[in-house]
Amino acid sequence: MGSDRCSRRNASCVRTVEVQLEPNGDLVRPRLTTGVCTDGRREQRVRRLTTAVVVLAGALVLAACEGTSDGTATPVSTVDKSAATAALWDPCTQIGDDVLRQVGVDPSTRDTTIAGVQRVAGWKLCSWNDKPSGWNYNLGVWSTIHSLDEVRGDKNNINFTESQVAGRTGVQFRKADDRDNLVCYLAFPTKGQIIEVSIYKSFTTKTPADNREPCSLASRAATILAPTFPAE
């Protein structure tokens, strides 16, 4: 656990940054956690994107397992997984700045990490905020080697509904730990991989202009982004 400095309007504070370790299968995702921000007069809740990291026997998993016909599990080499990850469609290079501006995010805010972690096996991610500071929402575009069944099997993914966007069939889902209705995902299977579009709204968003549901934002973004996705 560590801390970093943050500011909100005229207040300075220390914000807690955590890395959570959970045996949730092989899906690694940002999660919303609550820290405490104090300006000497009151405490303010701060939302922080952190990473839910997979553990096995108290250590980070270095190799995935796949089942065999006799019900046992055999390791999949990290080399194979690295090669599959490298072959994924890359949202950072395949989505142009003009498209991002049409969506409503600032290309200069690009982040290629998953909650600060570079090169997470099985995933590629690019994310952008709607503005450089005081952002109202974050757009994430993911590609992953994991299947839609694995996405459905993650216990933190809930409320699945079928979604039709720009001629593509996918699923919309929410997060079980999102008690404030700030997060929404859309997932689309294509060419042996899954493309996801996520919206994380800022906990401090109060302006009427951004009082939109996260799934509405995600659906609109996916409609604009879909032509850049790999062919089905």
Side-chain angles (χ1 to χ4, degrees), residues 1-37:
M1 178 182 296
S3 65
D4 62 1
R5 301 298 300 179
C6 66
S7 62
R8 182 168 177 250
R9 295 177 182 169
N10 296 324
S12 294
C13 59
V14 175
R15 178 171 54 196
T16 300
V17 180
E18 297 180 344
V19 176
Q20 300 180 354
L21 305 182
E22 292 189 355
N24 267 0
D26 203 26
L27 298 181
V28 179
R29 293 189 182 280
R31 296 191 63 184
L32 290 168
T33 60
T34 302
V36 175
C37 186

PDB file of all heavy atoms in Angstrom, residues 1-37:
ATOM      1  N   MET A   1       0.849  -1.179   0.000  1.00  0.00           N
ATOM      2  CA  MET A   1       0.000   0.000   0.000  1.00  0.00           C
ATOM      3  C   MET A   1       0.887   1.231   0.000  1.00  0.00           C
ATOM      4  O   MET A   1       1.924   1.281   0.633  1.00  0.00           O
ATOM      5  CB  MET A   1      -0.899  -0.004   1.247  1.00  0.00           C
ATOM      6  CG  MET A   1      -1.795   1.232   1.344  1.00  0.00           C
ATOM      7  SD  MET A   1      -2.796   1.228   2.863  1.00  0.00           S
ATOM      8  CE  MET A   1      -3.793  -0.229   2.569  1.00  0.00           C
ATOM      9  N   GLY A   2       0.465   2.264  -0.711  1.00  0.00           N
ATOM     10  CA  GLY A   2       1.228   3.497  -0.738  1.00  0.00           C
ATOM     11  C   GLY A   2       0.302   4.672  -0.706  1.00  0.00           C
ATOM     12  O   GLY A   2      -0.906   4.545  -0.545  1.00  0.00           O
ATOM     13  N   SER A   3       0.866   5.881  -0.841  1.00  0.00           N
ATOM     14  CA  SER A   3       0.023   7.074  -0.883  1.00  0.00           C
ATOM     15  C   SER A   3       0.599   8.045  -1.869  1.00  0.00           C
ATOM     16  O   SER A   3       1.784   8.013  -2.190  1.00  0.00           O
ATOM     17  CB  SER A   3      -0.068   7.722   0.508  1.00  0.00           C
ATOM     18  OG  SER A   3       1.192   8.189   0.906  1.00  0.00           O
ATOM     19  N   ASP A   4      -0.251   8.941  -2.390  1.00  0.00           N
ATOM     20  CA  ASP A   4       0.226   9.992  -3.262  1.00  0.00           C
ATOM     21  C   ASP A   4      -0.513  11.268  -2.907  1.00  0.00           C
ATOM     22  O   ASP A   4      -1.474  11.272  -2.163  1.00  0.00           O
ATOM     23  CB  ASP A   4       0.074   9.627  -4.762  1.00  0.00           C
ATOM     24  CG  ASP A   4      -1.359   9.403  -5.182  1.00  0.00           C
ATOM     25  OD1 ASP A   4      -2.266   9.548  -4.322  1.00  0.00           O
ATOM     26  OD2 ASP A   4      -1.563   9.100  -6.354  1.00  0.00           O
ATOM     27  N   ARG A   5      -0.016  12.378  -3.449  1.00  0.00           N
ATOM     28  CA  ARG A   5      -0.644  13.656  -3.147  1.00  0.00           C
ATOM     29  C   ARG A   5      -1.758  13.936  -4.134  1.00  0.00           C
ATOM     30  O   ARG A   5      -1.662  13.615  -5.310  1.00  0.00           O
ATOM     31  CB  ARG A   5       0.389  14.783  -3.236  1.00  0.00           C
ATOM     32  CG  ARG A   5       1.567  14.617  -2.289  1.00  0.00           C
ATOM     33  CD  ARG A   5       1.174  14.613  -0.823  1.00  0.00           C
ATOM     34  NE  ARG A   5       0.527  15.851  -0.429  1.00  0.00           N
ATOM     35  CZ  ARG A   5       0.076  16.056   0.798  1.00  0.00           C
ATOM     36  NH1 ARG A   5       0.179  15.125   1.720  1.00  0.00           N
ATOM     37  NH2 ARG A   5      -0.498  17.196   1.109  1.00  0.00           N
ATOM     38  N   CYS A   6      -2.841  14.532  -3.678  1.00  0.00           N
ATOM     39  CA  CYS A   6      -3.921  14.886  -4.580  1.00  0.00           C
ATOM     40  C   CYS A   6      -4.458  16.235  -4.157  1.00  0.00           C
ATOM     41  O   CYS A   6      -4.222  16.708  -3.064  1.00  0.00           O
ATOM     42  CB  CYS A   6      -5.041  13.840  -4.551  1.00  0.00           C
ATOM     43  SG  CYS A   6      -5.920  13.750  -2.982  1.00  0.00           S
ATOM     44  N   SER A   7      -5.204  16.853  -5.070  1.00  0.00           N
ATOM     45  CA  SER A   7      -5.843  18.117  -4.729  1.00  0.00           C
ATOM     46  C   SER A   7      -7.234  18.137  -5.308  1.00  0.00           C
ATOM     47  O   SER A   7      -7.485  17.602  -6.362  1.00  0.00           O
ATOM     48  CB  SER A   7      -5.041  19.299  -5.278  1.00  0.00           C
ATOM     49  OG  SER A   7      -4.983  19.246  -6.672  1.00  0.00           O
ATOM     50  N   ARG A   8      -8.142  18.716  -4.594  1.00  0.00           N
ATOM     51  CA  ARG A   8      -9.520  18.866  -5.057  1.00  0.00           C
ATOM     52  C   ARG A   8      -9.932  20.286  -4.742  1.00  0.00           C
ATOM     53  O   ARG A   8     -10.073  20.671  -3.599  1.00  0.00           O
ATOM     54  CB  ARG A   8     -10.423  17.851  -4.359  1.00  0.00           C
ATOM     55  CG  ARG A   8     -11.886  17.913  -4.814  1.00  0.00           C
ATOM     56  CD  ARG A   8     -12.621  16.697  -4.285  1.00  0.00           C
ATOM     57  NE  ARG A   8     -14.018  16.759  -4.643  1.00  0.00           N
ATOM     58  CZ  ARG A   8     -14.983  16.971  -3.761  1.00  0.00           C
ATOM     59  NH1 ARG A   8     -14.685  17.153  -2.498  1.00  0.00           N
ATOM     60  NH2 ARG A   8     -16.237  17.014  -4.140  1.00  0.00           N
ATOM     61  N   ARG A   9     -10.049  21.100  -5.793  1.00  0.00           N
ATOM     62  CA  ARG A   9     -10.288  22.519  -5.643  1.00  0.00           C
ATOM     63  C   ARG A   9      -9.164  23.129  -4.820  1.00  0.00           C
ATOM     64  O   ARG A   9      -8.020  23.110  -5.219  1.00  0.00           O
ATOM     65  CB  ARG A   9     -11.666  22.766  -5.044  1.00  0.00           C
ATOM     66  CG  ARG A   9     -12.787  22.294  -5.996  1.00  0.00           C
ATOM     67  CD  ARG A   9     -14.143  22.459  -5.399  1.00  0.00           C
ATOM     68  NE  ARG A   9     -15.152  21.959  -6.344  1.00  0.00           N
ATOM     69  CZ  ARG A   9     -16.407  21.767  -6.030  1.00  0.00           C
ATOM     70  NH1 ARG A   9     -16.846  22.041  -4.810  1.00  0.00           N
ATOM     71  NH2 ARG A   9     -17.250  21.312  -6.931  1.00  0.00           N
ATOM     72  N   ASN A  10      -9.436  23.696  -3.642  1.00  0.00           N
ATOM     73  CA  ASN A  10      -8.399  24.351  -2.863  1.00  0.00           C
ATOM     74  C   ASN A  10      -7.868  23.467  -1.739  1.00  0.00           C
ATOM     75  O   ASN A  10      -7.160  23.934  -0.858  1.00  0.00           O
ATOM     76  CB  ASN A  10      -8.937  25.652  -2.252  1.00  0.00           C
ATOM     77  CG  ASN A  10      -9.310  26.650  -3.319  1.00  0.00           C
ATOM     78  OD1 ASN A  10      -8.634  26.729  -4.335  1.00  0.00           O
ATOM     79  ND2 ASN A  10     -10.372  27.395  -3.097  1.00  0.00           N
ATOM     80  N   ALA A  11      -8.194  22.191  -1.771  1.00  0.00           N
ATOM     81  CA  ALA A  11      -7.788  21.318  -0.678  1.00  0.00           C
ATOM     82  C   ALA A  11      -6.630  20.442  -1.108  1.00  0.00           C
ATOM     83  O   ALA A  11      -6.554  19.988  -2.232  1.00  0.00           O
ATOM     84  CB  ALA A  11      -8.965  20.442  -0.260  1.00  0.00           C
ATOM     85  N   SER A  12      -5.689  20.210  -0.189  1.00  0.00           N
ATOM     86  CA  SER A  12      -4.619  19.258  -0.406  1.00  0.00           C
ATOM     87  C   SER A  12      -4.826  18.109   0.549  1.00  0.00           C
ATOM     88  O   SER A  12      -5.254  18.291   1.684  1.00  0.00           O
ATOM     89  CB  SER A  12      -3.250  19.898  -0.152  1.00  0.00           C
ATOM     90  OG  SER A  12      -2.997  20.891  -1.101  1.00  0.00           O
ATOM     91  N   CYS A  13      -4.468  16.913   0.102  1.00  0.00           N
ATOM     92  CA  CYS A  13      -4.726  15.781   0.947  1.00  0.00           C
ATOM     93  C   CYS A  13      -3.838  14.623   0.558  1.00  0.00           C
ATOM     94  O   CYS A  13      -3.154  14.657  -0.447  1.00  0.00           O
ATOM     95  CB  CYS A  13      -6.193  15.356   0.850  1.00  0.00           C
ATOM     96  SG  CYS A  13      -6.665  14.916  -0.830  1.00  0.00           S
ATOM     97  N   VAL A  14      -3.843  13.584   1.383  1.00  0.00           N
ATOM     98  CA  VAL A  14      -3.152  12.346   1.072  1.00  0.00           C
ATOM     99  C   VAL A  14      -4.183  11.318   0.667  1.00  0.00           C
ATOM    100  O   VAL A  14      -5.174  11.118   1.355  1.00  0.00           O
ATOM    101  CB  VAL A  14      -2.355  11.846   2.301  1.00  0.00           C
ATOM    102  CG1 VAL A  14      -1.733  10.491   1.999  1.00  0.00           C
ATOM    103  CG2 VAL A  14      -1.284  12.855   2.674  1.00  0.00           C
ATOM    104  N   ARG A  15      -3.964  10.681  -0.471  1.00  0.00           N
ATOM    105  CA  ARG A  15      -4.928   9.718  -0.994  1.00  0.00           C
ATOM    106  C   ARG A  15      -4.333   8.322  -0.905  1.00  0.00           C
ATOM    107  O   ARG A  15      -3.211   8.083  -1.322  1.00  0.00           O
ATOM    108  CB  ARG A  15      -5.252  10.057  -2.447  1.00  0.00           C
ATOM    109  CG  ARG A  15      -6.204   9.101  -3.124  1.00  0.00           C
ATOM    110  CD  ARG A  15      -6.625   9.638  -4.472  1.00  0.00           C
ATOM    111  NE  ARG A  15      -5.498   9.973  -5.320  1.00  0.00           N
ATOM    112  CZ  ARG A  15      -5.607  10.741  -6.396  1.00  0.00           C
ATOM    113  NH1 ARG A  15      -6.746  11.281  -6.715  1.00  0.00           N
ATOM    114  NH2 ARG A  15      -4.551  10.990  -7.143  1.00  0.00           N
ATOM    115  N   THR A  16      -5.074   7.387  -0.377  1.00  0.00           N
ATOM    116  CA  THR A  16      -4.603   6.021  -0.249  1.00  0.00           C
ATOM    117  C   THR A  16      -4.685   5.306  -1.585  1.00  0.00           C
ATOM    118  O   THR A  16      -5.679   5.387  -2.281  1.00  0.00           O
ATOM    119  CB  THR A  16      -5.442   5.259   0.792  1.00  0.00           C
ATOM    120  OG1 THR A  16      -5.312   5.929   2.040  1.00  0.00           O
ATOM    121  CG2 THR A  16      -4.976   3.827   0.937  1.00  0.00           C
ATOM    122  N   VAL A  17      -3.620   4.594  -1.942  1.00  0.00           N
ATOM    123  CA  VAL A  17      -3.581   3.807  -3.167  1.00  0.00           C
ATOM    124  C   VAL A  17      -3.349   2.349  -2.778  1.00  0.00           C
ATOM    125  O   VAL A  17      -2.384   2.037  -2.094  1.00  0.00           O
ATOM    126  CB  VAL A  17      -2.453   4.270  -4.095  1.00  0.00           C
ATOM    127  CG1 VAL A  17      -2.442   3.434  -5.361  1.00  0.00           C
ATOM    128  CG2 VAL A  17      -2.599   5.743  -4.415  1.00  0.00           C
ATOM    129  N   GLU A  18      -4.247   1.473  -3.169  1.00  0.00           N
ATOM    130  CA  GLU A  18      -4.142   0.080  -2.801  1.00  0.00           C
ATOM    131  C   GLU A  18      -4.074  -0.809  -4.017  1.00  0.00           C
ATOM    132  O   GLU A  18      -4.622  -0.492  -5.059  1.00  0.00           O
ATOM    133  CB  GLU A  18      -5.351  -0.357  -1.961  1.00  0.00           C
ATOM    134  CG  GLU A  18      -5.470   0.371  -0.632  1.00  0.00           C
ATOM    135  CD  GLU A  18      -6.679  -0.095   0.141  1.00  0.00           C
ATOM    136  OE1 GLU A  18      -7.559  -0.727  -0.490  1.00  0.00           O
ATOM    137  OE2 GLU A  18      -6.741   0.154   1.345  1.00  0.00           O
ATOM    138  N   VAL A  19      -3.386  -1.937  -3.888  1.00  0.00           N
ATOM    139  CA  VAL A  19      -3.474  -3.018  -4.861  1.00  0.00           C
ATOM    140  C   VAL A  19      -4.154  -4.178  -4.166  1.00  0.00           C
ATOM    141  O   VAL A  19      -3.654  -4.701  -3.178  1.00  0.00           O
ATOM    142  CB  VAL A  19      -2.081  -3.446  -5.365  1.00  0.00           C
ATOM    143  CG1 VAL A  19      -2.218  -4.639  -6.298  1.00  0.00           C
ATOM    144  CG2 VAL A  19      -1.409  -2.285  -6.074  1.00  0.00           C
ATOM    145  N   GLN A  20      -5.318  -4.545  -4.638  1.00  0.00           N
ATOM    146  CA  GLN A  20      -6.102  -5.595  -4.019  1.00  0.00           C
ATOM    147  C   GLN A  20      -5.765  -6.931  -4.664  1.00  0.00           C
ATOM    148  O   GLN A  20      -5.654  -7.032  -5.882  1.00  0.00           O
ATOM    149  CB  GLN A  20      -7.598  -5.316  -4.177  1.00  0.00           C
ATOM    150  CG  GLN A  20      -8.032  -4.006  -3.537  1.00  0.00           C
ATOM    151  CD  GLN A  20      -9.507  -3.764  -3.722  1.00  0.00           C
ATOM    152  OE1 GLN A  20     -10.180  -4.507  -4.412  1.00  0.00           O
ATOM    153  NE2 GLN A  20     -10.007  -2.717  -3.102  1.00  0.00           N
ATOM    154  N   LEU A  21      -5.614  -7.954  -3.858  1.00  0.00           N
ATOM    155  CA  LEU A  21      -5.311  -9.295  -4.346  1.00  0.00           C
ATOM    156  C   LEU A  21      -6.524 -10.175  -4.136  1.00  0.00           C
ATOM    157  O   LEU A  21      -6.984 -10.359  -3.021  1.00  0.00           O
ATOM    158  CB  LEU A  21      -4.108  -9.871  -3.596  1.00  0.00           C
ATOM    159  CG  LEU A  21      -2.845  -9.017  -3.634  1.00  0.00           C
ATOM    160  CD1 LEU A  21      -1.726  -9.724  -2.889  1.00  0.00           C
ATOM    161  CD2 LEU A  21      -2.425  -8.717  -5.050  1.00  0.00           C
ATOM    162  N   GLU A  22      -7.057 -10.713  -5.236  1.00  0.00           N
ATOM    163  CA  GLU A  22      -8.270 -11.512  -5.136  1.00  0.00           C
ATOM    164  C   GLU A  22      -8.167 -12.751  -6.018  1.00  0.00           C
ATOM    165  O   GLU A  22      -7.734 -12.655  -7.159  1.00  0.00           O
ATOM    166  CB  GLU A  22      -9.496 -10.708  -5.584  1.00  0.00           C
ATOM    167  CG  GLU A  22      -9.847  -9.567  -4.656  1.00  0.00           C
ATOM    168  CD  GLU A  22     -11.178  -8.953  -5.019  1.00  0.00           C
ATOM    169  OE1 GLU A  22     -11.744  -9.360  -6.042  1.00  0.00           O
ATOM    170  OE2 GLU A  22     -11.642  -8.091  -4.278  1.00  0.00           O
ATOM    171  N   PRO A  23      -8.604 -13.911  -5.527  1.00  0.00           N
ATOM    172  CA  PRO A  23      -8.642 -15.130  -6.348  1.00  0.00           C
ATOM    173  C   PRO A  23      -9.891 -15.155  -7.218  1.00  0.00           C
ATOM    174  O   PRO A  23     -10.797 -15.939  -7.007  1.00  0.00           O
ATOM    175  CB  PRO A  23      -8.668 -16.237  -5.293  1.00  0.00           C
ATOM    176  CG  PRO A  23      -9.380 -15.615  -4.129  1.00  0.00           C
ATOM    177  CD  PRO A  23      -8.986 -14.150  -4.137  1.00  0.00           C
ATOM    178  N   ASN A  24      -9.947 -14.251  -8.216  1.00  0.00           N
ATOM    179  CA  ASN A  24     -11.137 -14.099  -9.059  1.00  0.00           C
ATOM    180  C   ASN A  24     -10.943 -14.684 -10.447  1.00  0.00           C
ATOM    181  O   ASN A  24     -11.404 -14.138 -11.425  1.00  0.00           O
ATOM    182  CB  ASN A  24     -11.490 -12.611  -9.202  1.00  0.00           C
ATOM    183  CG  ASN A  24     -12.490 -12.180  -8.146  1.00  0.00           C
ATOM    184  OD1 ASN A  24     -12.888 -12.987  -7.337  1.00  0.00           O
ATOM    185  ND2 ASN A  24     -12.870 -10.926  -8.154  1.00  0.00           N
ATOM    186  N   GLY A  25     -10.182 -15.757 -10.558  1.00  0.00           N
ATOM    187  CA  GLY A  25      -9.902 -16.269 -11.884  1.00  0.00           C
ATOM    188  C   GLY A  25      -8.698 -15.561 -12.462  1.00  0.00           C
ATOM    189  O   GLY A  25      -7.777 -15.209 -11.743  1.00  0.00           O
ATOM    190  N   ASP A  26      -8.718 -15.281 -13.774  1.00  0.00           N
ATOM    191  CA  ASP A  26      -7.547 -14.703 -14.423  1.00  0.00           C
ATOM    192  C   ASP A  26      -7.837 -13.332 -15.000  1.00  0.00           C
ATOM    193  O   ASP A  26      -7.136 -12.848 -15.867  1.00  0.00           O
ATOM    194  CB  ASP A  26      -7.049 -15.640 -15.539  1.00  0.00           C
ATOM    195  CG  ASP A  26      -5.589 -15.406 -15.863  1.00  0.00           C
ATOM    196  OD1 ASP A  26      -4.860 -14.934 -14.972  1.00  0.00           O
ATOM    197  OD2 ASP A  26      -5.178 -15.692 -16.999  1.00  0.00           O
ATOM    198  N   LEU A  27      -8.899 -12.674 -14.522  1.00  0.00           N
ATOM    199  CA  LEU A  27      -9.260 -11.367 -15.039  1.00  0.00           C
ATOM    200  C   LEU A  27      -8.683 -10.286 -14.137  1.00  0.00           C
ATOM    201  O   LEU A  27      -8.925 -10.272 -12.934  1.00  0.00           O
ATOM    202  CB  LEU A  27     -10.784 -11.229 -15.108  1.00  0.00           C
ATOM    203  CG  LEU A  27     -11.490 -12.223 -16.032  1.00  0.00           C
ATOM    204  CD1 LEU A  27     -12.984 -11.966 -16.018  1.00  0.00           C
ATOM    205  CD2 LEU A  27     -10.956 -12.127 -17.446  1.00  0.00           C
ATOM    206  N   VAL A  28      -7.926  -9.379 -14.710  1.00  0.00           N
ATOM    207  CA  VAL A  28      -7.312  -8.284 -13.962  1.00  0.00           C
ATOM    208  C   VAL A  28      -7.960  -6.993 -14.402  1.00  0.00           C
ATOM    209  O   VAL A  28      -7.955  -6.648 -15.571  1.00  0.00           O
ATOM    210  CB  VAL A  28      -5.795  -8.222 -14.245  1.00  0.00           C
ATOM    211  CG1 VAL A  28      -5.167  -7.072 -13.481  1.00  0.00           C
ATOM    212  CG2 VAL A  28      -5.129  -9.538 -13.881  1.00  0.00           C
ATOM    213  N   ARG A  29      -8.546  -6.262 -13.457  1.00  0.00           N
ATOM    214  CA  ARG A  29      -9.301  -5.072 -13.835  1.00  0.00           C
ATOM    215  C   ARG A  29      -9.104  -3.959 -12.828  1.00  0.00           C
ATOM    216  O   ARG A  29      -8.846  -4.198 -11.657  1.00  0.00           O
ATOM    217  CB  ARG A  29     -10.799  -5.372 -13.879  1.00  0.00           C
ATOM    218  CG  ARG A  29     -11.210  -6.318 -14.981  1.00  0.00           C
ATOM    219  CD  ARG A  29     -12.726  -6.340 -15.055  1.00  0.00           C
ATOM    220  NE  ARG A  29     -13.185  -7.266 -16.056  1.00  0.00           N
ATOM    221  CZ  ARG A  29     -13.223  -6.996 -17.346  1.00  0.00           C
ATOM    222  NH1 ARG A  29     -12.838  -5.822 -17.780  1.00  0.00           N
ATOM    223  NH2 ARG A  29     -13.649  -7.883 -18.213  1.00  0.00           N
ATOM    224  N   PRO A  30      -9.292  -2.709 -13.264  1.00  0.00           N
ATOM    225  CA  PRO A  30      -9.366  -1.618 -12.284  1.00  0.00           C
ATOM    226  C   PRO A  30     -10.604  -1.790 -11.429  1.00  0.00           C
ATOM    227  O   PRO A  30     -11.621  -2.286 -11.884  1.00  0.00           O
ATOM    228  CB  PRO A  30      -9.510  -0.363 -13.158  1.00  0.00           C
ATOM    229  CG  PRO A  30      -9.053  -0.776 -14.496  1.00  0.00           C
ATOM    230  CD  PRO A  30      -9.392  -2.231 -14.624  1.00  0.00           C
ATOM    231  N   ARG A  31     -10.511  -1.365 -10.188  1.00  0.00           N
ATOM    232  CA  ARG A  31     -11.676  -1.392  -9.319  1.00  0.00           C
ATOM    233  C   ARG A  31     -11.806  -0.063  -8.601  1.00  0.00           C
ATOM    234  O   ARG A  31     -10.844   0.673  -8.440  1.00  0.00           O
ATOM    235  CB  ARG A  31     -11.563  -2.524  -8.297  1.00  0.00           C
ATOM    236  CG  ARG A  31     -11.550  -3.904  -8.934  1.00  0.00           C
ATOM    237  CD  ARG A  31     -11.715  -4.975  -7.891  1.00  0.00           C
ATOM    238  NE  ARG A  31     -13.003  -4.865  -7.227  1.00  0.00           N
ATOM    239  CZ  ARG A  31     -13.358  -5.639  -6.223  1.00  0.00           C
ATOM    240  NH1 ARG A  31     -12.543  -6.553  -5.768  1.00  0.00           N
ATOM    241  NH2 ARG A  31     -14.537  -5.475  -5.649  1.00  0.00           N
ATOM    242  N   LEU A  32     -13.015   0.238  -8.167  1.00  0.00           N
ATOM    243  CA  LEU A  32     -13.276   1.460  -7.420  1.00  0.00           C
ATOM    244  C   LEU A  32     -13.116   1.197  -5.937  1.00  0.00           C
ATOM    245  O   LEU A  32     -13.771   0.311  -5.394  1.00  0.00           O
ATOM    246  CB  LEU A  32     -14.695   1.954  -7.697  1.00  0.00           C
ATOM    247  CG  LEU A  32     -14.944   2.504  -9.095  1.00  0.00           C
ATOM    248  CD1 LEU A  32     -16.436   2.678  -9.297  1.00  0.00           C
ATOM    249  CD2 LEU A  32     -14.225   3.802  -9.299  1.00  0.00           C
ATOM    250  N   THR A  33     -12.220   1.938  -5.285  1.00  0.00           N
ATOM    251  CA  THR A  33     -12.100   1.846  -3.842  1.00  0.00           C
ATOM    252  C   THR A  33     -12.239   3.236  -3.255  1.00  0.00           C
ATOM    253  O   THR A  33     -12.129   4.235  -3.952  1.00  0.00           O
ATOM    254  CB  THR A  33     -10.746   1.250  -3.410  1.00  0.00           C
ATOM    255  OG1 THR A  33      -9.704   2.082  -3.910  1.00  0.00           O
ATOM    256  CG2 THR A  33     -10.565  -0.152  -3.947  1.00  0.00           C
ATOM    257  N   THR A  34     -12.479   3.300  -1.979  1.00  0.00           N
ATOM    258  CA  THR A  34     -12.706   4.579  -1.318  1.00  0.00           C
ATOM    259  C   THR A  34     -11.541   4.922  -0.424  1.00  0.00           C
ATOM    260  O   THR A  34     -11.143   4.135   0.414  1.00  0.00           O
ATOM    261  CB  THR A  34     -13.991   4.535  -0.464  1.00  0.00           C
ATOM    262  OG1 THR A  34     -15.075   4.211  -1.318  1.00  0.00           O
ATOM    263  CG2 THR A  34     -14.241   5.887   0.183  1.00  0.00           C
ATOM    264  N   GLY A  35     -10.969   6.116  -0.600  1.00  0.00           N
ATOM    265  CA  GLY A  35      -9.948   6.637   0.287  1.00  0.00           C
ATOM    266  C   GLY A  35     -10.527   7.799   1.056  1.00  0.00           C
ATOM    267  O   GLY A  35     -11.692   8.148   0.908  1.00  0.00           O
ATOM    268  N   VAL A  36      -9.735   8.419   1.902  1.00  0.00           N
ATOM    269  CA  VAL A  36     -10.193   9.568   2.680  1.00  0.00           C
ATOM    270  C   VAL A  36      -9.328  10.767   2.344  1.00  0.00           C
ATOM    271  O   VAL A  36      -8.113  10.684   2.329  1.00  0.00           O
ATOM    272  CB  VAL A  36     -10.117   9.285   4.195  1.00  0.00           C
ATOM    273  CG1 VAL A  36     -10.487  10.524   4.990  1.00  0.00           C
ATOM    274  CG2 VAL A  36     -11.038   8.131   4.558  1.00  0.00           C
ATOM    275  N   CYS A  37      -9.975  11.898   2.061  1.00  0.00           N
ATOM    276  CA  CYS A  37      -9.288  13.121   1.688  1.00  0.00           C
ATOM    277  C   CYS A  37      -9.693  14.195   2.690  1.00  0.00           C
ATOM    278  O   CYS A  37     -10.873  14.485   2.845  1.00  0.00           O
ATOM    279  CB  CYS A  37      -9.697  13.524   0.272  1.00  0.00           C
ATOM    280  SG  CYS A  37      -8.807  14.919  -0.392  1.00  0.00           S
TER     281      CYS A  37
END
